[in-house]
Amino acid sequence: MSDARELRLISWNVNGLRAVMKKDPSFVDVVEACDADVFAVQETKLQEGQIKLDLPGYHQTWSYAERKGYSGTAVFSREEPLRVIHEIGAPEADNEGRVCALEFPSYWFVDVYTPNAQNELARIDTRLAWDSCYREFLCGLAAEKPVVTCGDFNVAHEEIDLKNPGPNRGNAGFSDEERESFTRLLDAGFTDTFRARHPDLTGAYSWWSYRFNARKNNAGWRIDYFLVSNDIADRVTGASILSEVYGSDHCPVELTIKL
C-alpha cells in the first residue's frame, strides 16, 4: 500500500431517506458538505424507483428490503466498486436490504443495518443468528483483503456508550447477549475505531430518542460504528461523531484512513 491515500468515509442512519431529502439542509446538502470518498446510509425505507438522487461524481449502490418502507441500505462511492454483495447467508433477514458490501482494489467496504432485537427482546434470536452470519461473512472477506465495515449495529457495547446504562441493562441494544455478540465480532479480528482513538471519552453518542428532549439533553447511545480489520487499524487517522448534523434521530459518524 505504498501509494495509499487518505480516505474520508461517512456512515449515517437517515431513518427514511425521502424525509431527509425534504429537510434543511437536505440529504444532498449534507453529502456535498461532507465531501466524502464513500458515504454510506442505513434505514433508507424505500424501494427501487421511489427516489431520484442526483449526486454527481458518485456511484450509487442500493440494497432494498422486500417489505415496503422498511430497512434498506445504500452506499455512494467516488470509486466504482469491482463487485457488490447484498446478502450474507442469513435467512432470517437477508431479504431486508441490510447489507451493501463493495469490493475496491485495496479493501472491502461493508455497510450494515443490524436487526433490532425489539421490545422485550422479541427478535433476539433473529438478531443473534444475524450477528453470527455477519461475523462469518466479514471474516471471509477479511481473508481476501482488509475490511472496513460501518453502520447502525444496534448495540451500545460498553457502559460508556450510553447515557443511562443502569436502567437500560437488559433492554434491546444493551442486553448482555447483544453486547457479548459484539465483543465476539471484535475478537474475530476487528477494531472499534472510535473507541480505539477515544478510549475514555464520555458523552459521545450517535442516536437519541425523539422523546424526552433526549438530543437536547444529550441522553443518547453510541450504536453507529466504523470497524476495521486489525491489520489496518494503524492506518486510521481520525474517527469522529458528527453530532452537529441533524435530519435524523441518528447523526453521521466519520472515519479517515490511509488505504
Side-chain angles (χ1 to χ4, degrees), residues 138-258:
L138 288 188
C139 288
L141 298 184
E144 299 177 13
K145 56 180 67 173
V147 170
V148 175
T149 180
C150 68
D152 177 357
F153 284 78
N154 260 317
V155 61
H157 185 214
E158 304 289 359
E159 291 193 355
I160 194 175
D161 294 316
L162 71 168
K163 180 65 177 278
N164 297 305
N168 283 295
R169 189 172 305 282
N171 290 345
F174 199 59
S175 68
D176 291 345
E177 297 95 323
E178 292 164 292
R179 295 170 65 197
E180 289 166 5
S181 185
F182 193 80
T183 297
R184 283 197 292 276
L185 175 56
L186 297 180
D187 288 348
F190 299 93
T191 297
D192 174 356
T193 58
F194 183 85
R195 194 51 73 197
R197 291 189 73 84
H198 311 282
D200 304 312
L201 183 62
T202 59
Y205 309 126
S206 63
W207 174 80
W208 303 262
S209 169
Y210 279 133
R211 298 181 294 169
F212 313 122
N213 289 316
R215 190 156 185 176
K216 181 180 176 183
N217 298 323
N218 198 30
W221 300 48
R222 188 175 72 95
I223 60 176
D224 301 89
Y225 298 82
F226 266 101
L227 310 181
V228 301
S229 301
N230 289 343
D231 57 353
I232 56 169
D234 62 346
R235 294 179 170 271
V236 172
T237 55
S240 40
I241 296 176
L242 307 182
S243 55
E244 72 280 4
V245 177
Y246 284 73
S248 168
D249 51 349
H250 296 248
C251 74
V253 294
E254 177 187 55
L255 179 71
T256 53
I257 185 169
K258 289 184 176 178

Side-chain angles (χ1 to χ4, degrees), residues 119-139:
N119 286 345
E120 298 184 358
L121 304 184
R123 207 185 186 196
I124 188 69
D125 291 344
T126 294
R127 161 59 182 267
L128 295 177
W130 169 275
D131 282 357
S132 179
C133 282
Y134 192 67
R135 188 169 62 248
E136 290 181 23
F137 175 70
L138 288 188
C139 288

Side-chain angles (χ1 to χ4, degrees), residues 13-134:
N13 180 320
V14 293
N15 192 12
L17 187 53
R18 285 172 292 180
V20 182
M21 290 291 289
K22 299 171 185 173
K23 294 182 178 177
D24 185 21
S26 74
F27 177 74
V28 172
D29 293 333
V30 173
V31 173
E32 289 178 348
C34 286
D35 192 28
D37 294 281
V38 183
F39 198 113
V41 295
Q42 305 88 41
E43 214 170 350
T44 54
K45 294 184 177 179
L46 46 79
Q47 311 300 121
E48 188 169 10
Q50 287 190 310
I51 195 170
K52 181 165 174 52
L53 198 57
D54 187 24
L55 290 173
Y58 285 96
H59 297 274
Q60 301 187 18
T61 303
W62 298 82
S63 283
Y64 303 103
E66 289 181 6
R67 178 175 154 194
K68 290 184 178 180
Y70 180 73
S71 188
T73 50
V75 176
F76 313 114
S77 58
R78 295 206 184 276
E79 189 174 8
E80 185 175 8
L82 302 174
R83 60 176 165 145
V84 176
I85 299 173
H86 298 281
E87 297 181 346
I88 66 169
E92 303 85 1
D94 252 353
N95 63 347
E96 296 178 356
R98 293 185 176 275
V99 167
C100 282
L102 285 65
E103 183 184 9
F104 295 112
S106 60
Y107 71 108
W108 275 96
F109 182 93
V110 190
D111 177 23
V112 66
Y113 177 43
T114 302
N116 191 306
Q118 300 183 349
N119 286 345
E120 298 184 358
L121 304 184
R123 207 185 186 196
I124 188 69
D125 291 344
T126 294
R127 161 59 182 267
L128 295 177
W130 169 275
D131 282 357
S132 179
C133 282
Y134 192 67

